[in-house]
Amino acid sequence: MFDGILSVTIFLPVISAAIILFFFKNNNSIRYFANFTTGIVFLLSLMMFLNYDTEISGFQMIDYFETWIPFEYLRSSYIVGIDGLSAPLVLLTGILGFVSTLASLRVEKRVKEYHIWLLVLISSVFGVFVSLDLLLFFIFFEFELIPMYMLISIWGSGRPKYSAMKFVLFTLFGGALMLVGILSIYMSTDVGTLIMVSIPELNLVGIPELIQYSDLLLPASFIFILFFIAFAIKLPSWPVHSWLPDAHTDAPTAVSVMLAGVLLKMAGYGLIRINIGFFQNTKGFSIYDASVFISILAAISVVYGGIITVRQTDMKRLIAFSSISHMGFVMLGVSAIGTSNSNTSIAGINGAALQMFTHGTITGLAFLMVGFTYERTHTRHIPHLGGLWHKIPIIAVFFFISGFASLGLPMLSGFVSEIMIFLSTFTIWPIATIISAFGVVLAAGYILWMIQRIFFGVKPPDEIFSDEIYDQIEDVKKIDLLPILLLTIPVFLVGIWPSLLTEIINLGVEGVLR
Amino acid sequence: MNLNDLKLLSPEIFLSVSSLFLLVLSLSKVDVKRIVNLSIISLIITILLVCNLWFGWLFEPSSKNSLLGSFSSDNFSLFFKLLILLSSLITVFGSFQYFVSEKTRNYFGEFISLIFLSIVGMMLLVSSTELITIYVSLELSALPIIVLLSIHRTKLGIESGIKFFILSAFSSAILLYGFIYLYGLTGSTNLLLIQESISKMSLNEGSTFITYGIIISIVLIIAGFSFKMAIVPWQMWIPDVYQGAPTPVAAFLSVASKSSAFAVIIRMFYTSFTNEDLMLDWSLIFAVLAAITMTLGNLFALNQKNIKRLLGYSTIAQAGYILIGLAAIPGGNSMNFSGIQGSMYYLGGYLFTNMSIFIVITIIISRTKDETIEGLSGFIKVSPVYSIILVVGLLSLIGMPPTVGFMSKVIIFGFAINSGYPWLALVGVINSVLAAFYYLRIIRFIVFEEPSTTKLTQVHLLRDNRTILAGSICSILVLLLGIIPFILLEMSKKAINFI
């Protein structure tokens, strides 16, 4: 079975990276070509999202080569496809990939390598969301580290090499544990396949069905923990979050957008697809037993992330820490699996999946606006800023929008996902939900405080924020409105019309929960 | 010796003859470049002869065994012969510039004929099916290396030569001691006959003396070969010898010598000691050794400043991973020996990975005379091609997809889990994170740092097309075998049917 469009979307960025490597020399033409590629990829992802047939549901646009590795001890196939869970994330990757190249127009250092790595990164992220073979999934999951390592180390600021190394080692550690999990599932005689889902049309029986009554080589709870640690590191959840603020703060703007926007979502996707999908009802273990711990971890992440965020004085670091808090909501939504009422848990996981999309667009927008502000003020230290409202009104307006969406203002997309999560988890884990709800209050605190300090009040005196720089500040150019609008439109659209996404997501989540 | 023996031994005979021929030729006033080219050609011909035995292009030998059953030219040995010859070919081809420009120029004839003799020893070693032949060919492969190590007569070189000499003599003695036990208990030196007589012994049923005797001989044999395989605690010589050795010799040691030792130990254990109780015993020994080896190798490598020492420690760690495959015997009664297939795939991938790194390091060090990792700072600006080859190789050593290093780790850890050693797989994966730390540090110096010395600019002067060609072929194969692992897996599957 071969549909093609999905494989084209995955590999188009890599191919054009290779073309840039061999045929391009001029910096401007590299930029245009990279933007052209990501633009096409964006259109392709939008097309796939719109073409996903909600009547049929299930997996669609499947590309399937059965014999990628026909080795008798490691049978792995090349299989990609999208369902309701991955379709929004594919769209998100398309949007943010385009935004990230658009936001890189002013990168002047080693332009060629920069765009090559960025395109490779986009490809590998796509691969994670659409792979339906565990080994393939793992390969994309790990491969993304190489471009990220390069992008943060070379083009970062602050202590980039330290941060990049920390990021890579944390993720590699999680990936290593996940590899043991994958192999021990595959090597169990009753399973013996790497296909992550069952696809009736292709007569494929996936791990979720096979694992139910199988004797696994390792205890199912142990395998669950191996996967869970890997994704908790990537999400990131307390107590393994410490790589995130460093990596975010030191990364260049476009990379921060990608990192917060889509890379963290790999973890949420993995939690839903693998941890929930596989371990609902295995021998001797079920995710229901673990869900209370998930909810506790989620509540700690949300509040701990929020409290630390309040203390930050660096704009970018502030947004980075707020990601910990907001991704905590994803985990809280996942913990909704711990009820026998399937409607409630579906609602909660729907909320988690929606939160991934909304957080991707909102934080992407926030990092973009921080990047634009930083380009103009040359400092991210909030106490050194002030009175910028009159100088850069457009940036200010969109900064406001991202901030308000992030604190969950109704009519903007953040509200929808958070309310979905809270409504469902409240009946299951009331205390964890109540504690997590304080995360929203904290968010209002740090966001409003930051916006107020940056844009209102009077400009600090000359010795803190030099007049010379202040006078030169200009608002965004027209071309910069394109990435801004690409991110703002989904924020409004989902806020006003959530069923645009929830309908599709619901199909995917129901598929995962069977 | 009949015609069939000649056919089976054709690669070894050809290589010995060409070794002597090149030695004699170098006495006359022939240009050294010509001798290098001739040695490359003779290596290629030897490879073709080995391929001929595998595929049967020219002639089909009537039997795979010869020399009274002490020599077997089965697919298993041919696979390892190919590995040894390919690694030597890449070394000689890629280090062309080293050979013609260095002081090696004056005695290249001796150099290459010693290397050839050592290769012949290794080829005989992987083919031998009898204890005395194993011992003799082991010595044949080791003695030329002692000379090669100190051939430049530098202080470090002589030190490493003597170190290698003493330790290799010592380990041979231990090995012989193990062989003696085996011979005394079974009354035969032929591996198959040993297996037969062990199977009659009914171990673990009251006859404790014999059981312990066999176990002692197993331990001694493992100890003796571990020296060659660079397994902890017999690894001490590696970093010193690698640092002192001429870089091509270190490259030769790292792959060819190691894979021949692995081949012979696989053959011995999977031919002679196939008793089920015994298998459980030695598989546990291998598992523990593997865990210790990779952990210590990686821990020592963390703080190394000298690139050759670091690569030495990295080969120790890699030997630990390869050993996992030996430990991974199938649990229960099913007797399929899949684990060693993983080891063989790993060795095949490791060949190209390590060779690509070593030949580039050879040319850099021979130019800059700077062996520190800092010496590689900003190398990507000096020579992008060499840097890309190095980075791909290092990523493969880390085990990053889509390189062959990743695929071989996945396969070998899979076997470990399959045969009931999940803890070994866990140790392995955590080790690969540990290893990432120091490999990434090298990548960091190559790609991110600014060039600090002017020395590096000298590399420009000798941009060698042969090194680039050999290195890029290795890099492409590293990626290709990672994306399409099937070719090598199929070969190794054909190779293990000797059991």
Side-chain angles (χ1 to χ4, degrees), chain B residues 219-230:
Chain B
V219 170
L220 289 171
I221 289 169
I222 291 177
F225 282 122
S226 291
F227 169 79
K228 276 296 178 65
M229 295 188 292

Side-chain angles (χ1 to χ4, degrees), chain A residues 389-466:
Chain A
W389 173 262
H390 298 294
K391 296 296 277 187
I392 43 174
I394 299 178
I395 291 180
V397 164
F398 288 101
F399 212 127
F400 272 43
I401 293 172
S402 75
F404 285 138
S406 167
L407 62 84
L409 194 74
M411 293 294 279
L412 296 174
S413 60
F415 171 76
V416 183
S417 49
E418 278 165 27
I419 200 79
M420 277 171 78
I421 293 169
F422 287 149
L423 281 178
S424 69
T425 51
F426 185 73
T427 53
I428 314 165
W429 315 111
I431 298 173
T433 312
I434 291 168
I435 294 174
S436 304
F438 279 104
V440 181
V441 181
L442 286 169
Y446 55 74
I447 296 280
L448 292 176
W449 176 80
M450 174 176 70
I451 288 177
Q452 188 260 327
R453 296 287 293 271
I454 297 174
F455 291 105
F456 298 122
V458 290
K459 190 190 92 63
D462 187 28
E463 57 267 26
I464 295 175
F465 186 21
S466 88

Side-chain angles (χ1 to χ4, degrees), chain A residues 68 71-73 110 143 154, chain B residues 336 341 401 436 447-448 483 493:
Chain A
W68 171 45
F71 182 41
E72 57 195 297
Y73 301 104
R110 291 161 92 168
F143 183 66
I154 303 181
Chain B
N336 57 349
Q341 206 178 337
V447 183
F448 308 142
I483 297 166
K493 189 179 165 188

Side-chain angles (χ1 to χ4, degrees), chain A residues 153-189:
Chain A
S153 300
I154 303 181
W155 292 274
S157 54
R159 289 192 297 172
K161 284 158 205 157
Y162 166 80
S163 308
M165 187 67 109
K166 197 169 173 183
F167 166 70
V168 170
L169 288 182
F170 264 80
T171 318
L172 263 185
F173 179 75
L177 296 185
M178 180 155 72
L179 181 60
V180 176
I182 292 173
L183 290 173
S184 45
I185 289 180
Y186 173 71
M187 289 296 172
S188 306
T189 27

Side-chain angles (χ1 to χ4, degrees), chain B residues 199-212:
Chain B
S199 66
K200 283 178 197 146
M201 275 178 189
S202 67
L203 299 169
N204 292 340
E205 287 171 16
S207 56
T208 44
F209 175 73
I210 293 177
T211 314
Y212 284 125

Side-chain angles (χ1 to χ4, degrees), chain A residues 21 68-74 109-110 113 117 135 138-146 149-151 153-154 161-162 164-165 168-170 172-177 179-185 187-189 217-218 222 226, chain B residues 336-338 341-342 380-381 388 391 395 398-402 406-407 409-415 417-418 420 422 425-426 429-430 432-434 436-438 440-441 443-444 447-450 482-486 489 492-493:
Chain A
L21 176 64
W68 171 45
I69 306 180
F71 182 41
E72 57 195 297
Y73 301 104
L74 193 79
K109 186 180 171 189
R110 291 161 92 168
E113 292 165 63
W117 288 125
L135 191 68
F138 182 74
I139 287 177
F140 284 120
F141 191 87
E142 290 274 283
F143 183 66
E144 143 273 327
L145 290 177
I146 303 171
Y149 181 66
M150 301 292 175
L151 283 168
S153 300
I154 303 181
K161 284 158 205 157
Y162 166 80
M165 187 67 109
V168 170
L169 288 182
F170 264 80
L172 263 185
F173 179 75
L177 296 185
L179 181 60
V180 176
I182 292 173
L183 290 173
S184 45
I185 289 180
M187 289 296 172
S188 306
T189 27
L217 278 173
L218 298 176
F222 187 67
L226 291 176
Chain B
N336 57 349
F337 300 89
S338 45
Q341 206 178 337
I380 194 151
K381 286 180 190 144
I388 290 173
V391 168
L395 287 176
I398 298 175
M400 276 282 183
F406 168 77
M407 220 24 115
K409 281 206 173 96
V410 169
I411 288 170
I412 219 152
F413 294 150
F415 284 134
I417 290 173
N418 192 25
L426 262 182
V429 293
I430 289 169
S432 53
V433 180
L434 206 61
F437 185 76
Y438 60 85
L440 283 177
R441 202 162 55 107
I443 295 182
R444 198 186 84 191
V447 183
F448 308 142
E449 303 287 330
E450 292 298 313
I483 297 166
I484 315 164
F486 187 56
L489 282 172
S492 57
K493 189 179 165 188

